[in-house]
Coordinates of all heavy atoms in Angstrom, one line a residue:
V7 N -38.4 29.3 -21.2 CA -37.7 30.3 -20.3 C -36.5 30.9 -21.0 O -35.9 30.2 -21.7 CB -37.4 29.8 -18.9 CG1 -38.7 29.4 -18.2 CG2 -36.5 28.6 -19.0
R8 N -36.0 32.0 -20.4 CA -34.8 32.6 -20.9 C -33.6 31.7 -20.4 O -32.7 31.4 -21.2 CB -34.6 34.0 -20.4 CG -33.2 34.7 -20.8 CD -33.1 34.8 -22.3 NE -32.0 35.6 -22.6 CZ -31.5 35.6 -23.8 NH1 -31.9 34.7 -24.7 NH2 -30.4 36.4 -24.2
V9 N -33.7 31.3 -19.1 CA -32.5 30.5 -18.6 C -33.1 29.4 -17.7 O -34.0 29.6 -16.9 CB -31.6 31.4 -17.7 CG1 -30.4 30.6 -17.1 CG2 -31.1 32.6 -18.5
A10 N -32.5 28.2 -17.8 CA -32.8 27.1 -17.0 C -31.6 26.8 -16.2 O -30.5 26.5 -16.8 CB -33.3 25.8 -17.8
V11 N -31.7 26.8 -14.9 CA -30.5 26.5 -14.0 C -30.7 25.1 -13.5 O -31.9 24.8 -13.0 CB -30.5 27.5 -12.8 CG1 -29.4 27.1 -11.8 CG2 -30.3 29.0 -13.2
I12 N -29.7 24.2 -13.6 CA -29.8 22.8 -13.1 C -29.2 22.7 -11.8 O -28.0 22.8 -11.7 CB -29.2 21.9 -14.2 CG1 -29.6 22.3 -15.6 CG2 -29.6 20.5 -13.8 CD1 -31.1 22.3 -15.8
G13 N -29.9 22.4 -10.7 CA -29.4 22.2 -9.4 C -29.6 23.4 -8.5 O -29.7 24.5 -8.9
S14 N -29.8 23.0 -7.2 CA -30.1 24.1 -6.3 C -29.1 24.1 -5.1 O -29.5 24.3 -3.9 CB -31.5 24.1 -5.8 OG -31.7 22.9 -5.0
G15 N -27.9 23.8 -5.3 CA -26.8 24.0 -4.3 C -26.3 25.3 -4.3 O -27.0 26.2 -4.8
F16 N -25.1 25.5 -3.8 CA -24.5 26.8 -3.8 C -24.4 27.4 -5.3 O -24.7 28.6 -5.4 CB -23.1 26.7 -3.3 CG -23.1 27.0 -1.7 CD1 -23.0 26.0 -0.9 CD2 -23.0 28.3 -1.2 CE1 -23.0 26.2 0.5 CE2 -23.1 28.6 0.1 CZ -23.0 27.5 1.0
G17 N -24.1 26.6 -6.3 CA -23.9 27.1 -7.6 C -25.2 27.4 -8.2 O -25.4 28.5 -8.8
G18 N -26.2 26.6 -8.1 CA -27.5 26.9 -8.6 C -28.2 28.1 -8.0 O -28.7 28.9 -8.6
L19 N -28.2 28.1 -6.6 CA -28.9 29.3 -5.9 C -28.1 30.6 -6.2 O -28.7 31.6 -6.4 CB -29.0 29.0 -4.5 CG -29.9 27.8 -4.0 CD1 -29.9 27.8 -2.5 CD2 -31.3 28.0 -4.6
G20 N -26.7 30.5 -6.3 CA -25.9 31.6 -6.6 C -26.3 32.2 -8.0 O -26.4 33.4 -8.2
A21 N -26.4 31.3 -9.0 CA -26.7 31.7 -10.3 C -28.1 32.3 -10.4 O -28.3 33.3 -11.0 CB -26.7 30.5 -11.2
A22 N -29.1 31.8 -9.6 CA -30.4 32.4 -9.5 C -30.4 33.8 -9.0 O -31.1 34.7 -9.5 CB -31.3 31.4 -8.8
V23 N -29.7 34.0 -7.9 CA -29.6 35.3 -7.3 C -29.0 36.3 -8.3 O -29.5 37.4 -8.4 CB -28.8 35.3 -6.0 CG1 -28.5 36.7 -5.5 CG2 -29.5 34.4 -4.9
R24 N -27.9 35.9 -9.0 CA -27.3 36.7 -9.9 C -28.2 37.1 -11.1 O -28.2 38.2 -11.6 CB -25.9 36.1 -10.4 CG -25.1 37.0 -11.2 CD -24.8 38.3 -10.4 NE -24.1 39.3 -11.3 CZ -22.7 39.4 -11.3 NH1 -22.0 38.5 -10.6 NH2 -22.2 40.3 -12.1
L25 N -29.0 36.1 -11.6 CA -29.9 36.4 -12.6 C -30.9 37.5 -12.2 O -31.2 38.5 -13.0 CB -30.7 35.1 -13.0 CG -29.9 34.0 -13.7 CD1 -30.7 32.8 -13.9 CD2 -29.4 34.6 -15.1
I30 N -33.0 39.6 -14.7 CA -33.6 38.5 -15.4 C -34.5 37.7 -14.5 O -34.0 37.1 -13.5 CB -32.5 37.6 -16.0 CG1 -31.6 38.4 -17.0 CG2 -33.1 36.4 -16.7 CD1 -30.4 37.7 -17.5
D32 N -37.0 35.6 -15.9 CA -37.6 34.6 -16.7 C -36.7 33.4 -16.7 O -36.0 33.0 -17.6 CB -37.8 35.1 -18.1 CG -38.4 34.0 -19.0 OD1 -39.0 33.1 -18.5 OD2 -38.3 34.2 -20.3
F33 N -36.7 32.7 -15.5 CA -35.8 31.5 -15.4 C -36.4 30.5 -14.4 O -37.3 30.8 -13.6 CB -34.4 31.9 -14.9 CG -34.4 32.4 -13.4 CD1 -34.1 31.5 -12.4 CD2 -34.4 33.7 -13.2 CE1 -34.1 32.0 -11.1 CE2 -34.4 34.2 -11.9 CZ -34.2 33.3 -10.8
V34 N -36.0 29.2 -14.5 CA -36.4 28.2 -13.5 C -35.1 27.6 -13.0 O -34.1 27.5 -13.6 CB -37.3 27.1 -14.2 CG1 -38.6 27.7 -14.7 CG2 -36.5 26.5 -15.4
I35 N -35.3 27.0 -11.8 CA -34.2 26.1 -11.2 C -34.8 24.7 -11.1 O -35.8 24.5 -10.4 CB -33.9 26.6 -9.8 CG1 -33.7 28.1 -9.7 CG2 -32.8 25.9 -9.2 CD1 -33.6 28.7 -8.3
L36 N -34.2 23.8 -11.9 CA -34.6 22.5 -11.9 C -33.8 21.7 -10.9 O -32.6 21.6 -11.0 CB -34.4 21.9 -13.3 CG -35.2 22.6 -14.5 CD1 -34.9 22.0 -15.8 CD2 -36.6 22.6 -14.2
E37 N -34.5 21.1 -9.9 CA -33.9 20.4 -8.8 C -34.5 18.9 -8.7 O -35.7 18.8 -8.7 CB -34.1 21.1 -7.5 CG -33.8 20.3 -6.2 CD -32.4 19.8 -6.3 OE1 -31.4 20.6 -6.4 OE2 -32.2 18.6 -6.1
V106 N -33.4 16.2 -14.3 CA -33.2 16.3 -15.8 C -32.8 14.8 -16.3 O -31.8 14.3 -15.9 CB -32.1 17.3 -16.1 CG1 -31.7 17.3 -17.6 CG2 -32.5 18.7 -15.7
M109 N -31.1 16.8 -22.0 CA -31.0 18.1 -22.5 C -30.5 18.1 -24.0 O -29.4 17.6 -24.2 CB -30.0 18.9 -21.7 CG -30.5 19.4 -20.3 SD -29.3 20.6 -19.6 CE -28.3 19.4 -18.8
W118 N -32.5 25.0 -25.9 CA -32.3 23.7 -25.3 C -33.6 23.2 -25.0 O -34.5 23.8 -24.4 CB -31.5 23.8 -24.1 CG -30.0 24.0 -24.3 CD1 -29.3 25.2 -24.4 CD2 -29.1 23.0 -24.6 NE1 -28.0 25.0 -24.6 CE2 -27.8 23.6 -24.8 CE3 -29.1 21.7 -24.7 CZ2 -26.6 22.9 -25.1 CZ3 -27.9 20.9 -24.9 CH2 -26.7 21.5 -25.1
I120 N -35.4 20.6 -22.7 CA -35.0 19.8 -21.5 C -36.2 18.9 -21.1 O -37.3 19.4 -20.9 CB -34.7 20.8 -20.3 CG1 -33.6 21.7 -20.8 CG2 -34.3 20.0 -19.1 CD1 -33.4 22.9 -19.8
A130 N -35.4 26.2 -23.0 CA -34.6 27.3 -22.4 C -33.6 27.9 -23.5 O -33.0 27.0 -24.2 CB -33.9 26.8 -21.2
D131 N -33.4 29.2 -23.6 CA -32.5 29.7 -24.5 C -31.1 29.5 -24.0 O -30.2 29.3 -24.7 CB -32.7 31.3 -24.6 CG -34.1 31.7 -25.1 OD1 -34.6 30.8 -26.0 OD2 -34.6 32.7 -24.7
V132 N -30.9 29.5 -22.7 CA -29.6 29.2 -22.1 C -29.7 28.2 -20.9 O -30.7 28.3 -20.2 CB -29.0 30.6 -21.5 CG1 -27.7 30.3 -20.8 CG2 -28.9 31.6 -22.6
V133 N -28.7 27.4 -20.8 CA -28.7 26.4 -19.7 C -27.5 26.7 -18.8 O -26.4 26.9 -19.3 CB -28.7 25.0 -20.1 CG1 -28.3 24.0 -19.0 CG2 -30.0 24.6 -20.7
V134 N -27.7 26.8 -17.5 CA -26.5 27.0 -16.5 C -26.6 25.7 -15.7 O -27.5 25.5 -14.8 CB -26.8 28.2 -15.7 CG1 -25.6 28.3 -14.6 CG2 -26.8 29.5 -16.5
S135 N -25.7 24.8 -16.0 CA -25.6 23.6 -15.2 C -24.8 23.7 -14.0 O -23.6 24.0 -13.9 CB -25.0 22.5 -16.2 OG -24.9 21.3 -15.5
A136 N -25.4 23.5 -12.9 CA -24.8 23.7 -11.5 C -25.1 22.4 -10.7 O -25.4 22.5 -9.5 CB -25.4 25.0 -10.9
T137 N -24.9 21.3 -11.3 CA -25.1 20.0 -10.6 C -24.0 19.7 -9.6 O -24.2 18.9 -8.7 CB -25.3 18.8 -11.6 OG1 -24.0 18.8 -12.4 CG2 -26.4 19.1 -12.5
G138 N -22.8 20.3 -9.9 CA -21.7 20.1 -8.9 C -21.0 18.7 -9.1 O -21.6 17.8 -9.4
I347 N -24.3 13.6 -15.3 CA -25.1 14.6 -16.0 C -24.6 14.8 -17.4 O -25.4 15.1 -18.3 CB -25.1 15.9 -15.3 CG1 -26.2 16.9 -15.9 CG2 -23.8 16.6 -15.3 CD1 -27.6 16.5 -15.7
V351 N -26.5 15.4 -21.8 CA -26.4 16.7 -22.5 C -26.0 16.3 -23.8 O -24.9 15.9 -24.1 CB -25.4 17.6 -21.8 CG1 -25.4 18.9 -22.6 CG2 -25.7 17.7 -20.4
G372 N -13.4 27.3 -17.7 CA -14.1 26.4 -16.8 C -15.6 26.5 -17.0 O -16.3 25.9 -16.1
A373 N -16.1 27.1 -18.0 CA -17.5 27.3 -18.2 C -18.1 26.8 -19.5 O -19.2 26.1 -19.4 CB -17.8 28.8 -18.1
S374 N -17.5 26.9 -20.7 CA -18.1 26.7 -21.9 C -17.4 25.5 -22.7 O -16.2 25.6 -22.8 CB -18.1 27.9 -22.8 OG -18.8 29.0 -22.2
F378 N -21.5 23.0 -27.6 CA -22.6 23.0 -26.7 C -23.0 24.5 -26.5 O -22.7 25.1 -25.5 CB -22.3 22.4 -25.4 CG -22.1 20.9 -25.6 CD1 -20.8 20.4 -25.9 CD2 -23.0 20.0 -25.4 CE1 -20.5 19.1 -26.2 CE2 -22.8 18.6 -25.6 CZ -21.5 18.2 -26.0
P379 N -23.7 25.1 -27.5 CA -24.0 26.6 -27.5 C -24.9 26.9 -26.3 O -25.8 26.1 -25.9 CB -24.7 26.8 -28.8 CG -24.3 25.6 -29.7 CD -24.2 24.4 -28.7
N380 N -24.6 28.1 -25.8 CA -25.6 28.7 -24.8 C -25.7 27.7 -23.6 O -26.8 27.6 -22.9 CB -26.9 29.0 -25.3 CG -26.9 30.3 -26.1 OD1 -25.8 30.9 -26.3 ND2 -28.0 30.8 -26.4
W381 N -24.7 26.9 -23.4 CA -24.6 26.0 -22.2 C -23.4 26.3 -21.4 O -22.3 26.4 -21.9 CB -24.6 24.5 -22.6 CG -24.5 23.5 -21.6 CD1 -25.6 22.9 -21.0 CD2 -23.4 22.9 -20.9 NE1 -25.3 22.0 -20.0 CE2 -23.9 22.0 -20.0 CE3 -22.0 23.2 -21.0 CZ2 -23.0 21.3 -19.1 CZ3 -21.2 22.4 -20.2 CH2 -21.7 21.5 -19.2
M382 N -23.6 26.5 -20.1 CA -22.5 26.9 -19.2 C -22.5 26.0 -18.0 O -23.6 25.6 -17.6 CB -22.6 28.3 -18.8 CG -22.6 29.4 -19.9 SD -22.5 31.0 -19.2 CE -20.8 31.0 -18.6
T383 N -21.4 25.8 -17.4 CA -21.3 25.0 -16.2 C -20.7 25.8 -15.1 O -19.8 26.6 -15.3 CB -20.6 23.6 -16.4 OG1 -20.6 22.8 -15.2 CG2 -19.2 23.9 -16.8
I384 N -21.2 25.6 -13.9 CA -20.7 26.2 -12.6 C -19.9 25.1 -12.0 O -20.4 24.0 -11.8 CB -21.8 26.8 -11.8 CG1 -22.7 27.8 -12.5 CG2 -21.1 27.4 -10.5 CD1 -22.0 29.0 -13.0
I385 N -18.7 25.4 -11.5 CA -17.7 24.4 -11.0 C -17.4 23.4 -12.1 O -17.6 22.1 -11.9 CB -18.2 23.7 -9.7 CG1 -18.8 24.7 -8.8 CG2 -17.0 23.0 -9.1 CD1 -19.2 24.0 -7.4
G386 N -17.0 23.9 -13.2 CA -16.6 23.1 -14.3 C -15.2 22.6 -14.3 O -14.6 22.7 -13.2
I400 N -17.2 30.0 -7.4 CA -18.6 30.1 -8.0 C -18.9 31.5 -8.3 O -19.5 31.8 -9.4 CB -19.5 29.5 -6.9 CG1 -19.4 27.9 -6.9 CG2 -21.0 29.8 -7.2 CD1 -20.2 27.3 -5.7
Q403 N -17.4 32.6 -11.4 CA -18.1 32.1 -12.6 C -19.5 32.7 -12.8 O -20.0 32.9 -13.9 CB -18.3 30.6 -12.5 CG -17.0 29.9 -12.6 CD -17.2 28.3 -12.8 OE1 -17.6 27.6 -12.0 NE2 -16.9 28.0 -14.1
L404 N -20.0 33.3 -11.7 CA -21.3 34.0 -11.9 C -21.0 35.3 -12.6 O -22.0 35.8 -13.4 CB -22.0 34.2 -10.5 CG -22.4 33.0 -9.8 CD1 -23.1 33.3 -8.4 CD2 -23.2 32.1 -10.6
N405 N -19.9 35.9 -12.4 CA -19.6 37.1 -13.1 C -19.5 36.8 -14.6 O -20.0 37.6 -15.5 CB -18.2 37.7 -12.7 CG -18.2 38.3 -11.3 OD1 -19.3 38.6 -10.8 ND2 -17.1 38.4 -10.6
Y406 N -18.9 35.7 -14.9 CA -18.8 35.3 -16.3 C -20.2 35.0 -17.0 O -20.4 35.4 -18.1 CB -17.9 34.0 -16.4 CG -17.3 33.8 -17.8 CD1 -16.3 34.5 -18.3 CD2 -17.8 32.7 -18.5 CE1 -15.8 34.2 -19.6 CE2 -17.4 32.4 -19.8 CZ -16.3 33.1 -20.3 OH -15.8 32.9 -21.5
M407 N -21.0 34.3 -16.2 CA -22.3 34.0 -16.7 C -23.1 35.3 -17.0 O -23.8 35.4 -17.9 CB -23.1 33.2 -15.6 CG -24.5 32.9 -15.9 SD -25.5 32.4 -14.5 CE -25.7 34.0 -13.6
A408 N -23.0 36.3 -16.1 CA -23.8 37.5 -16.2 C -23.3 38.3 -17.5 O -24.1 38.7 -18.2 CB -23.5 38.4 -15.0
Y410 N -21.9 36.9 -20.1 CA -22.3 36.0 -21.3 C -23.7 36.4 -21.7 O -24.0 36.6 -22.9 CB -22.2 34.6 -20.7 CG -22.4 33.5 -21.9 CD1 -21.3 32.9 -22.4 CD2 -23.6 33.2 -22.3 CE1 -21.5 31.9 -23.3 CE2 -23.9 32.2 -23.4 CZ -22.8 31.5 -23.7 OH -22.9 30.6 -24.7
L411 N -24.6 36.6 -20.7 CA -26.0 37.0 -21.0 C -26.1 38.3 -21.5 O -26.9 38.7 -22.4 CB -26.9 36.7 -19.8 CG -27.0 35.3 -19.3 CD1 -27.6 35.2 -17.9 CD2 -27.9 34.6 -20.3
L414 N -25.2 38.2 -25.3 CA -26.3 37.8 -26.0 C -27.3 38.9 -26.3 O -27.9 39.0 -27.3 CB -27.0 36.5 -25.3 CG -26.2 35.2 -25.3 CD1 -27.0 34.2 -24.4 CD2 -25.8 34.7 -26.7

Side-chain angles (χ1 to χ4, degrees):
V7 295
R8 178 60 169 160
V9 182
V11 178
I12 316 300
S14 67
F16 269 98
L19 295 183
V23 171
R24 188 57 185 268
L25 289 172
I30 299 172
D32 182 17
F33 69 90
V34 294
I35 310 166
L36 301 178
E37 169 54 55
V106 172
M109 285 185 274
W118 286 94
I120 306 169
D131 298 331
V132 178
V133 167
V134 178
S135 181
T137 57
I347 188 68
V351 184
S374 301
F378 297 82
N380 282 9
W381 182 91
M382 303 186 69
T383 181
I384 305 297
I385 316 183
I400 288 172
Q403 290 198 288
L404 298 183
N405 291 339
Y406 195 75
M407 176 198 75
Y410 189 103
L411 291 166
L414 292 177

